[in-house]
Amino acid sequence: MYEILKQRYERNFVRKDQLQRYVILGKITQQQYLDIVEEKHEVEKDV
């Protein structure tokens, strides 16, 4: 589930609030959420 959500977030198919919902539902951990969000943020900085 983590990899799928990561790819969807990178393609802007999923928003941060939607990812946070997956944390609440227990589909991903809070750390995985942070990893997904921070990775994209770092890529955007480099551009």
Side-chain angles (χ1 to χ4, degrees), residues 15-25 30 33:
R15 299 182 312 265
K16 288 182 183 180
D17 63 310
Q18 292 170 316
L19 285 176
Q20 198 57 255
R21 182 74 176 147
Y22 282 102
V23 174
I24 293 168
L25 294 172
Q30 184 67 29
Y33 165 82

Side-chain angles (χ1 to χ4, degrees), residues 1-36:
M1 185 55 108
Y2 167 77
E3 289 296 325
I4 293 168
L5 291 173
K6 180 179 170 186
Q7 290 173 358
R8 288 181 181 176
Y9 183 73
E10 289 170 353
R11 294 179 180 148
N12 295 316
F13 295 156
V14 177
R15 299 182 312 265
K16 288 182 183 180
D17 63 310
Q18 292 170 316
L19 285 176
Q20 198 57 255
R21 182 74 176 147
Y22 282 102
V23 174
I24 293 168
L25 294 172
K27 299 297 183 182
I28 60 172
T29 66
Q30 184 67 29
Q31 185 57 50
Q32 288 173 322
Y33 165 82
L34 293 173
D35 291 344
I36 293 170

Side-chain angles (χ1 to χ4, degrees), residues 39-47:
E39 264 186 41
K40 183 170 182 204
H41 185 65
E42 288 175 11
V43 170
E44 289 174 350
K45 280 184 178 178
D46 292 341
V47 173

